[in-house]
């Protein structure tokens, strides 16, 4: 898997290894969202609760 990260920092300001350590926790969360989206089709749901915006 290839992940592209855009930042205004130079490699002198933050080495690639340190940048990867900062980004990795975000992708763990995204992996869980992917499971919910594909297994339970959460993104396809049109149910709304309370004052949630309608699409």
């Amino acid at each position: 898997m290839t992940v592209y990260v855009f930042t205004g920092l130079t490699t002198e300001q933050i080495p690639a290894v340190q940048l990867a350590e900062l980004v990795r926790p975000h992708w763990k969360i995204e992996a869980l969202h992917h499971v919910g989206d594909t297994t339970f089709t959460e993104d396809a749901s049109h149910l709304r609760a309370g004052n949630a915006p309608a699409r």
Side-chain angles (χ1 to χ4, degrees):
M1 179 167 128
T2 302
V3 176
Y4 295 95
V5 178
F6 296 92
T7 179
L9 300 174
T10 65
T11 54
E12 290 79 27
Q13 293 172 314
I14 185 165
V17 173
Q18 187 178 358
L19 184 59
E21 289 173 359
L22 292 172
V23 173
R24 190 172 295 120
H26 171 77
W27 287 103
K28 287 181 182 177
I29 294 169
E30 286 300 321
L32 294 174
H33 285 269
H34 174 74
V35 170
D37 293 343
T38 56
T39 305
F40 303 111
T41 59
E42 290 176 348
D43 285 345
S45 175
H46 291 283
L47 296 175
R48 303 288 181 255
N51 294 324
R55 290 186 191 187

